Amino acid sequence: MAQLHSPTYIHLKISYQRQQFVSMASYTPLDPSKNEVRMLKLVEPSDGPNSSLVNCILETVSLDDFTPDFKNFLNGTESKECNPDALKLWIDEVAVDPAITPLDLPYWRHALHYSISKKELEEWDDLMKAIDIDPAQCSKIPSAFATIATTHDPTPKSTKSLKKHFSFAPRFKWGDYEAISYCWESETRDRKISLNGSVIEVPRNLEAMLQRLRTLPDTKSGIKFWVDALCIDQGNVLEKNHQAIDFIAGITHHTLNLTPHGEEEYGDRFLILGRGQAPRSGEPAYDLPWKSLLSFLSRNYWQRLWIIQELALNHNMTLFLCGKRSLSRSMILRACQFCIRHAETIDQSTPAYIKPIPEPGSYAYGSIWSTVYRAYCLLTLPDGETDEILTDDVLDLGRKANVKELVDKVYGILGLLPPLITKCISPDYSLGKDQVYFHFAKAMLNTFRRLDVLFSWCSYRPDGTLPSWIPDWSTKYERHHLYWLKMCKASGTKPAEYSIVDAYQSLHCRGFIFDAVQTMSGSLSETLGGRSRKAASSESSLSPIKNRYHDEAGVTTALRRTLVQNLTYSGDELYSRTTLKIYWIPEHDGYYEGPEVRKVMDSLKNITSSPCWEPFERFRQANADYSIFGFKFRDFFPAMDYPGQGNKDVDGITSSASSIELPTVISDHAMELDGNDALVMKRTTLTLEGRRLITTKSGYLGTAPEAVMKGDLLAIFFGCNYPVVLRKFGDCYFLIGESYIDGVMDGELLGAMEGGEFEEIEFKLC
């Protein structure tokens, strides 16, 4: 089901719920010593090509049965393995022996996959013609949204610049093959196919996929297919649930059927955005086929866990089938790249009813970004050995994916993890979820030898069944910017010191406690359902309170950094921007009436049109009176006041008393905030999702997970690049999660510890 090449070893599991489609008598046992698999061959029915019944033959073949030419070719490559690079060279450079019947495929697939920067893809008119699109049909689409698309028959037509087909020699004596990945959807067997001369019943999505394969040039050229539902003996428990394939073969290309229940895709035409800049002012984007695009990217297929390794390990002319459409991997990738670059523009110019709807608490509520970004991440995962950074991407995709069995959150991504991890984990479906997650946590620690690699995925839940230091991959993870926090140096260069007691599943590690939580703001999730204010734990005094930042200017600077967890750096385009420049809008009915207020509100149009505005403003209003060392949270933002009015009466509305002097915004000189300010607001909203602002007893400002409580301890562990929040429980501690504490993220406290101000101790996490 993926790109198969040595030395990667992947576990492919077919769930217990899948029904047996073929009687056990139809299968002969496979010989693992010969690397045998079954392949599906589609043949014309006896009553002709117009028959509605798909006719298939199952053949047992060996993935070691290379042709002499291909074996000699591999011996001449640097890796001597059948990997994607070798396959590309084989297709591009090796002449086809006239004595061998070649395999022919449409050339546009090869060009789209391998020649993105070459002349073929620059000549868009020719390319659209090659995939059966009349460029004249696209004349009504704004030029800034240049497009390419596929239609019912992607077979190249006559063009001057593009070839019709490319030919290559099969790698095996029995031919060559493609692996098929598709959504099983319903288990109800209400369709029929012919297999090895017998008519059997199969689910409709399988039958629809086979019907689609019948029409492909691949099938007509003689290519075979690997389809898990038919090529694995569903009556053989060992083969069905624990089949592993040594990735030695390489797949010519990967075909995916994404059509639920065999139905057509939504919309008149699925358009892929290939190039272009943001739309020019006044250009209509409303009429572009966003509904079709977003419907495609919102399908259940993209949420399946098993496609993560399928797509990462398959980079050979991947072909996506959707109804009667055929899409290349690069087409979809360029569409995702376009949408990511112009997400704000698309959000602002498309109606809400066509967009996918994330959970209301999400920063992405009402935005296309999260839907498109997931598909982009899936399509850009590289194959090969995995480092820590890529491991984070794989873990993030896996945690958000859908599975039937929770242990597959680990087993389903093993093929993409570092060898040191996979050597420690052997798929065993007799183990429970908690046991598998415990073994996986140990493997991660022992592979990377750092605590933050593991703690970045921990989310404390009082009712959880796992120790607090073990990530529960079956639950949703609410927080963002963990990668950025892992780049800090709170523990300097000190290596992790830890040990694991298996009997109690406890983790012992060394570090020091440096502070405790004093106050917490309200959280975003507490503001759902309206803009009513949530009481927050705070100092009652509005007089300045002693803190680490000395004065109002110092606290303001610290808050500016904290709201984005200092996710800016010198040279960053957003370095000089801050959400503290976004004007405070009093929460009063009728406030938006009056020309002066409307003039200032117009300067905020780039902010208020962003999907992040609603959660950002909810957080501000809910925490308006939250005291940060004696200064109200709302008073760090410029007030909408006018000449001669001071801090009172704005269009008849009297502002609340302030703990510090509010900056004055004069409507005639209100600074217009642009798209970069909206991006900083997005970073702020990402920071705040799943977190609270906190102040500490010794006067620090920071963020902590939503589960934080007053009195929780702040500690720095050796081998962990950010501070953590702990809660004492008997002789051990619960790990509440990571923290950003402004002023301690770069190892500033290590000298104080070495000087005796803080005591190094051993922590027992449970």
Side-chain angles (χ1 to χ4, degrees):
M1 298 177 66
Q3 167 60 44
L4 308 184
H5 60 84
S6 179
T8 311
Y9 189 81
I10 189 170
H11 177 82
L12 298 178
K13 174 183 170 288
I14 311 304
S15 69
Y16 287 96
Q17 289 85 351
R18 294 186 176 182
Q19 300 180 32
Q20 182 178 353
F21 301 148
V22 189
S23 67
M24 296 174 61
S26 301
Y27 290 105
T28 56
L30 298 176
D31 186 347
S33 67
K34 295 181 180 179
N35 203 9
E36 286 186 342
V37 295
R38 299 184 189 91
M39 292 293 170
L40 193 69
K41 181 179 180 181
L42 275 67
V43 297
E44 290 292 349
S46 57
D47 51 350
N50 295 325
S51 171
S52 61
L53 194 67
V54 178
N55 192 18
C56 311
I57 296 175
L58 269 181
E59 300 177 351
T60 299
V61 300
S62 170
L63 294 179
D64 293 335
D65 197 12
F66 293 133
T67 65
D69 285 346
F70 187 65
K71 189 178 296 184
N72 292 335
F73 165 78
L74 288 181
N75 289 334
T77 62
E78 183 177 352
S79 66
K80 303 187 185 306
E81 298 170 353
C82 184
N83 55 35
D85 291 336
L87 181 56
K88 181 180 183 300
L89 288 174
W90 173 255
I91 293 173
D92 286 349
E93 300 179 9
V94 177
V96 179
D97 188 335
I100 299 177
T101 302
L103 300 172
D104 289 327
L105 292 178
Y107 183 75
W108 70 269
R109 273 191 236 161
H110 184 274
L112 283 171
H113 184 78
Y114 291 121
S115 311
I116 292 177
S117 63
K118 295 183 180 179
K119 183 178 180 181
E120 289 93 340
L121 293 188
E122 296 172 358
E123 298 178 2
W124 290 98
D125 283 358
D126 284 340
L127 180 62
M128 284 189 283
K129 291 176 184 177
I131 54 179
D132 199 23
I133 290 294
D134 180 1
Q137 295 178 359
C138 300
S139 59
K140 295 181 180 180
I141 297 176
S143 58
F145 286 108
T147 64
I148 62 172
T150 61
T151 56
H152 294 281
D153 181 11
T155 305
K157 306 301 179 183
S158 176
T159 70
K160 295 180 179 179
S161 63
L162 291 178
K163 297 186 296 184
K164 287 186 176 182
H165 299 87
F166 70 97
S167 300
F168 65 99
R171 297 164 295 163
F172 306 96
K173 294 177 182 178
W174 45 266
D176 221 311
Y177 75 101
E178 299 167 3
I180 310 301
S181 171
Y182 69 102
C183 289
W184 283 54
E185 299 290 345
S186 172
E187 301 285 354
T188 303
R189 293 179 286 171
D190 54 2
R191 295 292 187 271
K192 294 179 180 180
I193 67 170
S194 173
L195 183 65
N196 290 350
S198 299
V199 176
I200 64 169
E201 293 181 332
V202 297
R204 64 172 58 193
N205 219 35
L206 172 58
E207 191 269 346
M209 182 268 296
L210 294 174
Q211 290 282 9
R212 185 68 180 90
L213 291 181
R214 292 175 69 184
T215 67
L216 291 183
D218 317 48
T219 302
K220 298 173 182 178
S221 186
I223 287 178
K224 297 177 174 61
F225 301 96
W226 189 88
V227 183
D228 58 359
L230 299 174
C231 295
I232 294 178
D233 183 355
Q234 301 295 312
N236 185 324
V237 175
L238 180 62
E239 183 178 323
K240 183 174 74 169
N241 294 311
H242 297 281
Q243 177 171 358
I245 298 178
D246 188 6
F247 290 168
I248 193 172
I251 301 176
T252 305
H253 93 251
H254 185 162
T255 307
L256 309 171
N257 186 292
L258 309 180
T259 307
H261 309 305
E263 298 172 358
E264 288 297 316
E265 70 272 27
Y266 300 115
D268 297 330
R269 187 185 299 278
F270 179 82
L271 293 174
I272 297 296
L273 305 170
R275 63 176 180 175
Q277 292 74 42
R280 292 188 288 269
S281 177
E283 278 192 326
Y286 183 92
D287 293 332
L288 284 174
W290 302 118
K291 184 176 181 179
S292 296
L293 175 64
L294 297 176
S295 172
F296 176 81
L297 295 176
S298 300
R299 292 179 180 233
N300 290 337
Y301 168 81
W302 301 103
Q303 301 300 320
R304 292 177 60 232
L305 182 130
W306 291 98
I307 68 163
I308 299 172
Q309 62 185 11
E310 289 170 2
L311 291 175
L313 297 169
N314 182 341
H315 287 264
N316 291 322
M317 295 177 290
T318 309
L319 184 66
F320 293 77
L321 305 181
C322 188
K324 295 182 179 180
R325 278 30 171 205
S326 300
L327 307 169
S328 77
R329 185 189 193 115
S330 59
M331 286 178 176
I332 301 172
L333 179 57
R334 286 200 301 278
C336 292
Q337 290 170 331
F338 183 94
C339 292
I340 289 171
R341 286 196 304 271
H342 307 306
E344 297 287 336
T345 300
I346 296 169
D347 284 335
Q348 295 170 21
S349 59
T350 53
Y353 71 86
I354 72 170
K355 298 175 185 175
I357 304 298
E359 293 185 12
S362 170
Y363 75 95
Y365 181 70
S367 174
I368 69 166
W369 191 86
S370 60
T371 298
V372 175
Y373 186 68
R374 178 175 178 83
Y376 170 81
C377 289
L378 287 166
L379 294 169
T380 53
L381 281 174
D383 58 356
E385 291 193 3
T386 310
D387 58 17
E388 178 185 334
I389 295 175
L390 180 55
T391 297
D392 281 346
D393 292 337
V394 173
L395 293 174
D396 184 53
L397 288 168
R399 191 161 193 167
K400 295 173 181 175
N402 297 330
V403 294
K404 287 186 177 180
E405 297 192 40
L406 297 179
V407 293
D408 283 341
K409 290 281 189 172
V410 172
Y411 295 159
I413 58 174
L414 284 181
L416 298 178
L417 299 179
L420 288 177
I421 290 181
T422 58
K423 288 178 181 177
C424 299
I425 304 291
S426 296
D428 182 352
Y429 288 89
S430 67
L431 299 178
K433 166 185 74 79
D434 289 358
Q435 290 174 290
V436 173
Y437 293 178
F438 170 61
H439 294 318
F440 187 51
K442 288 175 57 180
M444 287 184 64
L445 282 178
N446 293 332
T447 297
F448 295 109
R449 312 298 297 181
R450 295 197 56 81
L451 299 178
D452 46 26
V453 171
L454 186 66
F455 292 172
S456 298
W457 301 101
C458 294
S459 185
Y460 175 75
R461 287 176 172 78
D463 57 349
T465 59
L466 284 163
S468 62
W469 62 273
I470 299 176
D472 186 347
W473 303 103
S474 67
T475 61
K476 183 180 178 182
Y477 191 77
E478 306 283 354
R479 305 190 292 276
H480 307 276
H481 291 167
L482 273 300
Y483 171 69
W484 187 259
L485 288 180
K486 287 166 64 176
M487 293 178 65
C488 298
K489 295 292 181 184
S491 63
T493 59
K494 295 183 73 67
E497 299 180 35
Y498 68 90
S499 62
I500 299 171
V501 180
D502 287 3
Y504 301 99
Q505 293 192 346
S506 60
L507 175 67
H508 297 247
C509 49
R510 299 193 66 80
F512 59 92
I513 294 171
F514 68 91
D515 214 332
V517 176
Q518 180 68 25
T519 73
M520 306 94 60
S521 73
S523 68
L524 264 174
S525 67
E526 293 170 338
T527 66
L528 290 176
R531 299 172 73 184
S532 58
R533 294 183 180 171
K534 175 77 176 179
S537 172
S538 182
E539 303 99 333
S540 58
S541 172
L542 288 179
S543 300
I545 295 174
K546 184 177 179 180
N547 60 78
R548 299 278 181 168
Y549 314 107
H550 308 301
D551 54 22
E552 173 196 333
V555 173
T556 301
T557 301
L559 179 60
R560 169 186 169 176
R561 291 191 295 259
T562 300
L563 286 172
V564 291
Q565 294 185 140
N566 206 21
L567 206 164
T568 54
Y569 51 89
S570 182
D572 181 6
E573 189 177 6
L574 306 183
Y575 184 73
S576 62
R577 307 300 179 100
T578 173
T579 46
L580 297 183
K581 290 183 179 179
I582 298 176
Y583 311 136
W584 187 271
I585 302 175
E587 193 180 27
H588 298 288
D589 292 336
Y591 183 80
Y592 296 96
E593 299 174 1
E596 297 297 332
V597 173
R598 286 196 294 272
K599 191 178 295 184
V600 177
M601 289 300 298
D602 188 59
S603 70
L604 287 173
K605 62 181 181 297
N606 288 306
I607 298 295
T608 56
S609 62
S610 168
C612 291
W613 165 250
E614 193 273 338
F616 172 77
E617 183 63 359
R618 276 195 289 109
F619 182 88
R620 287 206 307 178
Q621 296 295 341
N623 292 286
D625 295 328
Y626 175 60
S627 176
I628 301 176
F629 307 124
F631 306 117
K632 287 184 178 180
F633 183 58
R634 69 165 178 264
D635 292 340
F636 290 96
F637 298 87
M640 297 171 68
D641 291 344
Y642 304 97
Q645 293 177 309
N647 286 341
K648 298 180 180 179
D649 257 358
V650 180
D651 282 0
I653 302 298
T654 302
S655 62
S656 302
S658 298
S659 53
I660 58 178
E661 184 177 353
L662 289 166
T664 298
V665 178
I666 302 174
S667 63
D668 291 337
H669 301 91
M671 180 180 67
E672 182 170 346
L673 303 181
D674 59 22
N676 282 332
D677 295 295
L679 287 176
V680 175
M681 180 178 67
K682 180 177 181 179
R683 288 185 179 180
T684 299
T685 312
L686 283 166
T687 293
L688 296 173
E689 188 169 5
R691 295 189 177 98
R692 304 176 188 272
L693 294 175
I694 63 168
T695 63
T696 74
K697 288 184 177 180
S698 69
Y700 284 112
L701 174 66
T703 63
E706 189 174 2
V708 68
M709 296 174 61
K710 182 176 181 179
D712 283 345
L713 303 173
L714 293 164
I716 290 176
F717 289 155
F718 304 147
C720 185
N721 280 337
Y722 46 73
V724 295
V725 180
L726 302 176
R727 187 169 300 160
K728 195 78 166 66
F729 181 74
D731 65 342
C732 66
Y733 298 86
F734 290 137
L735 175 68
I736 306 303
E738 81 294 334
S739 180
Y740 172 87
I741 304 296
D742 194 76
V744 310
M745 303 303 292
D746 292 320
E748 294 91 338
L749 299 184
L750 292 178
M753 180 205 68
E754 293 168 355
E757 182 176 345
F758 306 114
E759 179 185 3
E760 178 183 334
I761 61 175
E762 179 178 289
F763 296 86
K764 176 184 176 184
L765 301 184
C766 57

